[in-house]
Amino acid sequence: MASRGLLIAPSILTADFGHLEEQARAAEAAGADLWHLDVMDGHFVPAITFGAAIVEVFRRTTALPIEVHLMVANPAAQLRPFAEAGAQRLIFHHEAAPEPHALLEATRALGCERGIAISPGTPVAAVAPLLGELEQVTVMLIEPGRGGQPMMPELLEKVRELRALIGAAGLATRIEVDGGVKAHNVAICAAAGTDIAVAGSAVFNASQTPAEAIAELRAALASA
Ligand code: DX5
Ligand code: ZN
Protein backbone atom coordinates (compact mmCIF):
# COMPACT_ATOMS: atom_id res chain seq x y z
CA MET A 1 0.00 0.00 0.00
CA ALA A 2 3.00 2.32 0.49
CA SER A 3 3.21 2.47 -3.30
CA ARG A 4 -0.06 4.43 -3.32
CA GLY A 5 2.16 7.45 -2.74
CA LEU A 6 1.28 8.74 0.70
CA LEU A 7 1.16 12.54 0.80
CA ILE A 8 2.86 14.38 3.67
CA ALA A 9 1.02 17.36 5.12
CA PRO A 10 3.06 19.37 7.64
CA SER A 11 1.23 20.98 10.55
CA ILE A 12 2.89 24.07 11.98
CA LEU A 13 1.79 23.73 15.62
CA THR A 14 5.37 23.16 16.78
CA ALA A 15 6.98 25.50 14.23
CA ASP A 16 8.79 28.72 15.22
CA PHE A 17 6.08 31.36 14.78
CA GLY A 18 8.75 34.07 14.81
CA HIS A 19 10.06 32.73 11.49
CA LEU A 20 6.91 31.34 9.93
CA GLU A 21 7.51 32.40 6.33
CA GLU A 22 11.06 31.05 6.40
CA GLN A 23 9.88 27.74 7.88
CA ALA A 24 7.04 27.52 5.35
CA ARG A 25 9.47 27.98 2.47
CA ALA A 26 11.86 25.41 3.94
CA ALA A 27 9.14 22.76 4.26
CA GLU A 28 7.94 23.43 0.72
CA ALA A 29 11.49 23.16 -0.64
CA ALA A 30 11.90 19.93 1.35
CA GLY A 31 9.07 18.30 -0.59
CA ALA A 32 6.00 18.71 1.60
CA ASP A 33 2.86 17.96 -0.44
CA LEU A 34 0.33 20.29 1.19
CA TRP A 35 -0.25 22.32 4.35
CA HIS A 36 -2.40 21.14 7.22
CA LEU A 37 -3.21 24.26 9.24
CA ASP A 38 -4.66 23.60 12.69
CA VAL A 39 -7.23 26.11 13.91
CA MET A 40 -8.28 25.85 17.58
CA ASP A 41 -10.86 28.13 19.15
CA GLY A 42 -10.49 27.66 22.91
CA HIS A 43 -13.94 26.00 23.04
CA PHE A 44 -13.88 22.79 21.03
CA VAL A 45 -10.39 22.29 22.47
CA PRO A 46 -8.82 24.36 25.29
CA ALA A 47 -6.07 25.96 23.21
CA ILE A 48 -6.31 28.84 20.74
CA THR A 49 -4.00 28.80 17.73
CA PHE A 50 -4.59 31.25 14.88
CA GLY A 51 -7.14 32.58 12.46
CA ALA A 52 -7.50 33.26 8.76
CA ALA A 53 -4.66 35.81 8.63
CA ILE A 54 -2.09 33.05 9.10
CA VAL A 55 -3.69 31.01 6.33
CA GLU A 56 -3.21 34.03 4.07
CA VAL A 57 0.50 34.07 4.96
CA PHE A 58 0.80 30.52 3.68
CA ARG A 59 -1.25 31.31 0.59
CA ARG A 60 1.16 34.16 -0.27
CA THR A 61 4.37 32.43 0.76
CA THR A 62 4.07 28.99 -0.82
CA ALA A 63 2.40 27.30 -3.77
CA LEU A 64 1.26 24.21 -1.87
CA PRO A 65 -2.44 23.43 -1.42
CA ILE A 66 -3.83 24.29 2.01
CA GLU A 67 -6.25 22.32 4.12
CA VAL A 68 -7.61 23.87 7.31
CA HIS A 69 -8.43 21.60 10.24
CA LEU A 70 -11.17 23.42 12.13
CA MET A 71 -11.08 22.34 15.77
CA VAL A 72 -13.85 24.79 16.53
CA ALA A 73 -17.21 24.51 18.26
CA ASN A 74 -19.09 26.49 15.60
CA PRO A 75 -17.68 25.55 12.20
CA ALA A 76 -20.59 27.18 10.33
CA ALA A 77 -19.22 30.62 11.27
CA GLN A 78 -15.69 29.80 10.10
CA LEU A 79 -16.15 28.30 6.65
CA ARG A 80 -16.25 31.55 4.69
CA PRO A 81 -13.29 33.33 6.38
CA PHE A 82 -10.97 30.38 5.82
CA ALA A 83 -12.22 29.77 2.27
CA GLU A 84 -11.57 33.43 1.45
CA ALA A 85 -8.11 33.21 3.05
CA GLY A 86 -7.15 30.59 0.47
CA ALA A 87 -7.94 27.15 1.90
CA GLN A 88 -8.67 24.51 -0.74
CA ARG A 89 -10.13 22.09 1.79
CA LEU A 90 -12.05 22.71 5.00
CA ILE A 91 -12.16 19.94 7.59
CA PHE A 92 -14.56 20.25 10.49
CA HIS A 93 -15.21 17.82 13.32
CA HIS A 94 -18.12 15.42 13.35
CA GLU A 95 -18.35 15.99 17.12
CA ALA A 96 -19.00 19.70 16.48
CA ALA A 97 -21.48 19.06 13.67
CA PRO A 98 -23.33 15.76 14.07
CA GLU A 99 -25.86 16.87 11.38
CA PRO A 100 -23.36 18.04 8.79
CA HIS A 101 -25.32 18.11 5.50
CA ALA A 102 -25.84 21.89 5.47
CA LEU A 103 -22.20 22.53 6.39
CA LEU A 104 -20.98 20.20 3.68
CA GLU A 105 -23.16 21.96 1.15
CA ALA A 106 -21.94 25.38 2.34
CA THR A 107 -18.32 24.22 2.01
CA ARG A 108 -18.94 23.03 -1.53
CA ALA A 109 -20.70 26.27 -2.42
CA LEU A 110 -17.61 28.18 -1.25
CA GLY A 111 -15.56 26.22 -3.78
CA CYS A 112 -13.70 24.13 -1.20
CA GLU A 113 -13.24 20.41 -0.79
CA ARG A 114 -15.15 18.88 2.11
CA GLY A 115 -13.47 17.04 4.98
CA ILE A 116 -14.78 15.65 8.24
CA ALA A 117 -12.48 14.72 11.14
CA ILE A 118 -13.36 12.07 13.70
CA SER A 119 -11.86 12.19 17.19
CA PRO A 120 -10.73 8.94 18.88
CA GLY A 121 -14.12 8.32 20.54
CA THR A 122 -16.12 8.67 17.31
CA PRO A 123 -16.69 5.47 15.31
CA VAL A 124 -16.43 5.15 11.53
CA ALA A 125 -20.18 4.47 11.51
CA ALA A 126 -20.73 8.19 12.24
CA VAL A 127 -19.31 9.18 8.85
CA ALA A 128 -20.05 6.05 6.84
CA PRO A 129 -23.36 7.39 5.44
CA LEU A 130 -21.60 10.63 4.39
CA LEU A 131 -18.69 9.21 2.39
CA GLY A 132 -20.30 10.08 -0.95
CA GLU A 133 -20.59 13.74 0.10
CA LEU A 134 -16.97 14.13 1.20
CA GLU A 135 -13.60 14.49 -0.43
CA GLN A 136 -11.79 13.43 2.77
CA VAL A 137 -12.14 11.81 6.17
CA THR A 138 -9.49 12.75 8.74
CA VAL A 139 -8.95 10.06 11.35
CA MET A 140 -7.50 11.51 14.55
CA LEU A 141 -4.88 9.22 16.07
CA ILE A 142 -4.61 11.45 19.17
CA GLU A 143 -7.12 13.52 21.12
CA PRO A 144 -7.25 16.86 19.28
CA GLY A 145 -5.81 19.81 21.15
CA ARG A 146 -2.04 19.89 20.83
CA GLY A 147 0.88 18.62 18.81
CA GLY A 148 3.62 16.29 19.98
CA GLN A 149 1.40 13.56 21.50
CA PRO A 150 2.11 9.86 20.88
CA MET A 151 -0.02 8.09 18.27
CA MET A 152 -2.59 5.52 19.40
CA PRO A 153 -1.89 2.96 16.63
CA GLU A 154 -4.96 0.86 17.46
CA LEU A 155 -6.99 3.70 15.90
CA LEU A 156 -5.56 2.71 12.50
CA GLU A 157 -8.29 0.06 12.55
CA LYS A 158 -10.63 2.92 11.56
CA VAL A 159 -8.48 3.58 8.49
CA ARG A 160 -8.78 -0.08 7.46
CA GLU A 161 -12.54 0.06 7.99
CA LEU A 162 -12.85 3.25 5.94
CA ARG A 163 -10.64 1.89 3.17
CA ALA A 164 -12.92 -1.14 2.86
CA LEU A 165 -16.09 0.98 2.82
CA ILE A 166 -14.69 3.45 0.28
CA GLY A 167 -13.44 0.64 -1.94
CA ALA A 168 -16.73 -1.29 -1.78
CA ALA A 169 -18.68 1.84 -2.72
CA GLY A 170 -16.30 2.72 -5.56
CA LEU A 171 -15.67 6.19 -4.12
CA ALA A 172 -12.57 8.39 -4.37
CA THR A 173 -12.85 9.79 -0.81
CA ARG A 174 -9.37 10.22 0.66
CA ILE A 175 -8.31 9.08 4.12
CA GLU A 176 -6.01 11.24 6.23
CA VAL A 177 -4.42 10.41 9.58
CA ASP A 178 -3.58 13.14 12.08
CA GLY A 179 -1.55 12.87 15.25
CA GLY A 180 1.76 11.38 16.27
CA VAL A 181 2.98 10.42 12.79
CA LYS A 182 6.75 9.83 12.87
CA ALA A 183 9.34 8.03 10.75
CA HIS A 184 8.93 4.89 12.89
CA ASN A 185 5.17 4.58 12.30
CA VAL A 186 4.42 6.29 8.96
CA ALA A 187 4.70 2.98 7.08
CA ILE A 188 1.98 1.32 9.19
CA CYS A 189 -0.27 4.30 8.39
CA ALA A 190 0.35 3.77 4.67
CA ALA A 191 -0.21 0.02 4.98
CA ALA A 192 -3.57 0.61 6.69
CA GLY A 193 -4.76 2.53 3.61
CA THR A 194 -3.93 6.15 4.42
CA ASP A 195 -3.67 8.67 1.57
CA ILE A 196 -2.39 11.68 3.54
CA ALA A 197 -0.37 11.78 6.76
CA VAL A 198 -0.25 14.96 8.83
CA ALA A 199 3.20 15.45 10.36
CA GLY A 200 3.64 18.22 12.90
CA SER A 201 6.40 17.66 15.43
CA ALA A 202 7.98 15.11 13.04
CA VAL A 203 8.70 18.00 10.63
CA PHE A 204 9.10 21.01 12.94
CA ASN A 205 11.34 20.02 15.84
CA ALA A 206 14.52 21.09 17.54
CA SER A 207 16.73 18.25 16.33
CA GLN A 208 16.24 18.30 12.53
CA THR A 209 15.60 20.67 9.67
CA PRO A 210 12.26 20.19 7.82
CA ALA A 211 14.29 18.82 4.89
CA GLU A 212 15.96 16.15 7.03
CA ALA A 213 12.65 15.30 8.65
CA ILE A 214 10.70 14.92 5.41
CA ALA A 215 13.53 12.90 3.85
CA GLU A 216 13.43 10.57 6.85
CA LEU A 217 9.66 10.09 6.50
CA ARG A 218 9.99 9.34 2.77
CA ALA A 219 12.87 6.92 3.40
CA ALA A 220 10.76 5.07 5.98
CA LEU A 221 7.96 4.75 3.41
CA ALA A 222 10.29 3.61 0.65
CA SER A 223 11.89 0.88 2.73
CA ALA A 224 8.57 -0.49 4.05
C1 DX5 B 1 -3.77 18.19 16.98
C2 DX5 B 1 -3.64 18.57 15.54
C3 DX5 B 1 -2.62 17.80 14.76
C4 DX5 B 1 -1.28 17.64 15.43
C5 DX5 B 1 -0.13 17.29 14.54
O1 DX5 B 1 -4.91 18.69 17.57
O2 DX5 B 1 -4.84 18.43 14.85
O3 DX5 B 1 -2.56 18.26 13.43
O4 DX5 B 1 -0.95 18.69 16.22
O5 DX5 B 1 1.05 17.32 15.29
P1 DX5 B 1 1.88 16.01 15.64
O6 DX5 B 1 2.27 15.41 14.34
O7 DX5 B 1 3.02 16.53 16.44
O8 DX5 B 1 0.97 15.11 16.42
ZN1 ZN C 1 -4.73 18.65 12.64
Side-chain angles (χ1 to χ4, degrees), residues 189-215:
C189 298
T194 299
D195 298 298
I196 305 176
V198 176
S201 51
V203 171
F204 294 106
N205 60 64
S207 57
Q208 288 169 308
T209 64
E212 289 165 346
I214 291 174

Side-chain angles (χ1 to χ4, degrees), residues 13 38-50 69-74 93 95-96 119-120 140 142-147 149:
L13 286 187
D38 285 304
V39 173
M40 303 185 190
D41 68 347
H43 293 281
F44 183 74
V45 290
I48 294 176
T49 55
F50 48 78
H69 179 188
L70 292 167
M71 285 164 276
V72 304
N74 182 11
H93 267 262
E95 301 80 22
S119 289
M140 298 302 300
I142 56 170
E143 287 297 342
R146 62 188 171 83
Q149 305 179 66

